[in-house]
Amino acid sequence: MSIMAYSIFTRASKRFPISLRITRNYQNKMAENLTSLATESSSKYEDLDKQSVDTLLRQINAEDQTVPLAVEKVIPNIEALVNQIVPRMEQGGRLFYIGAGTSGRLGVVDASECPPTYGVPFDMVIGIIAGGDGAIRKAVENAEDDPEQAWKDMEAYDIGALDTVIGIAASGRTPYVIGGLKSANAKGILTGCIVCNGGSPIAAEAQYPVEVIVGPEYVTGSTRMKSGTAQKLVLNMISTAVMIRLGRVRGNKMVDMQLSNHKLVLRAIRMVCEATGVGEEEAAALLEKHGSVRNAVDSVKKG
């Protein structure tokens, strides 16, 4: 970083609400690293502010269509990770997601949807975001820069040897995630990651890395876009495959889903009817008595 750039950076740090006051060596390192990241490369599209809405939407859609193809290339890596997670969870292990910003939020979303979808305990899949739950809605200053905090956050859940930690970071270099994976590795805990740059520090730290290289974002550096989409797709694949292998899906049905609203109750009634041949009233009575589609269906099959 030049003397002029450093001077501007220092003055700006006194005005910005988020503190930018970090050591000059770290600033130099950060500036050097940014130039080498695919996710920080300049967008392939120019003059976005001069485009029509139709053009903007079509260009974004065109870029989004490349993401599943990038995910397809790393399916073997995802498979290897899932195959390690399942036997640990069969023995009582849990799945932790750790991340900051968009990546952290995506982990929280995936974890939060497992209990209502699959009827698992709320602490079986745990999403942790740098800065705590408040950071889900509002960024927390410097939260992602603390390499020690992720392990402290996981210790609050009594993390143990049967658990798995998956670090999520588009850049592949978030200190919060790197530190969490290092601590987990030191404790003999299974680690994986979902990143969107090749050869990153996080991928090097993870035992089972998943590197989805999506290339430059439509808006330069906006990793909530293609990178976020890629991370969400991979999270869907991991949690869904794990839950199916754990027996939480029968056929293609969510037989353990929580009956927490009218839509889900109606869905459950239809599932019981299809599986057993009973009428809707009897299906509803069975669900009320047994509490889940699985138990209602099993009660009929057992007479």
Side-chain angles (χ1 to χ4, degrees):
M1 181 179 291
S2 68
I3 295 176
M4 180 177 293
Y6 177 73
S7 177
I8 293 171
F9 188 96
T10 303
R11 291 199 304 272
S13 70
K14 297 176 181 178
R15 300 194 309 271
F16 292 167
I18 297 178
S19 174
L20 299 177
R21 293 181 287 279
I22 52 181
T23 68
R24 184 168 183 176
N25 286 339
Y26 186 63
Q27 292 173 39
N28 291 336
K29 184 177 179 181
M30 289 279 283
E32 180 182 349
N33 286 345
L34 279 175
T35 62
S36 65
L37 298 179
T39 53
E40 295 290 335
S41 299
S42 183
S43 171
K44 296 187 294 185
Y45 302 86
E46 301 290 343
D47 301 320
L48 301 185
D49 52 324
K50 298 177 182 178
Q51 306 302 326
S52 68
V53 171
D54 177 74
T55 298
L56 292 172
L57 299 181
R58 291 184 184 280
Q59 289 176 345
I60 292 170
N61 180 248
E63 285 299 297
D64 285 346
Q65 290 181 50
T66 68
V67 177
L69 299 178
V71 172
E72 182 182 22
K73 293 178 181 178
V74 297
I75 287 177
N77 304 76
I78 302 170
E79 178 188 13
L81 177 56
V82 170
N83 284 336
Q84 291 295 319
I85 294 171
V86 171
R88 286 168 169 78
M89 296 191 79
E90 287 175 334
Q91 299 176 67
R94 296 162 297 169
L95 176 57
F96 287 81
Y97 298 135
I98 59 172
T102 297
S103 299
R105 294 182 186 100
L106 289 169
V108 170
V109 167
D110 194 78
S112 299
E113 291 173 346
C114 287
T117 305
Y118 301 110
V120 298
F122 76 94
D123 59 351
M124 188 174 182
V125 183
I126 301 167
I128 299 176
I129 182 171
D133 286 354
I136 295 172
R137 291 184 178 274
K138 184 177 180 181
V140 176
E141 181 176 343
N142 293 337
E144 71 172 58
D145 296 326
D146 186 348
E148 308 296 330
Q149 188 59 47
W151 182 251
K152 295 176 184 177
D153 292 341
M154 289 186 283
E155 280 190 312
Y157 294 89
D158 295 322
I159 187 169
L162 289 176
D163 296 328
T164 301
V165 178
I166 297 179
I168 314 169
S171 68
R173 60 189 182 90
T174 306
Y176 179 87
V177 177
I178 295 173
L181 293 180
K182 281 185 176 180
S183 296
N185 285 330
K187 301 291 184 179
I189 295 169
L190 177 69
T191 58
C193 73
I194 307 169
V195 298
C196 296
N197 284 296
S200 69
I202 287 176
E205 198 63 51
Q207 298 164 31
Y208 290 86
V210 176
E211 300 172 283
V212 189
I213 313 303
V214 296
E217 295 289 356
Y218 181 69
V219 175
T220 300
S222 181
T223 53
R224 72 182 186 87
M225 301 186 76
K226 290 196 301 181
S227 296
T229 300
Q231 291 170 335
K232 176 58 175 161
L233 291 177
V234 175
L235 286 167
N236 286 348
M237 295 167 80
I238 292 172
S239 58
T240 303
V242 165
M243 291 300 158
I244 291 172
R245 299 303 295 172
L246 291 176
R248 291 290 174 168
V249 172
R250 182 178 289 175
N252 60 9
K253 301 295 193 299
M254 300 178 289
V255 293
D256 294 318
M257 67 181 183
Q258 295 178 356
L259 308 181
S260 55
N261 59 49
H262 292 302
K263 178 191 74 175
L264 295 180
V265 170
L266 290 174
R267 180 187 295 165
I269 289 172
R270 185 174 70 251
M271 290 164 64
V272 173
C273 291
E274 291 175 354
T276 65
V278 303
E280 291 185 354
E281 288 189 11
E282 185 176 353
L286 289 167
L287 286 167
E288 186 173 1
K289 179 179 180 180
H290 297 288
S292 73
V293 173
R294 179 191 297 276
N295 292 339
V297 171
D298 286 348
S299 70
V300 173
K301 291 184 176 180
K302 293 175 181 177

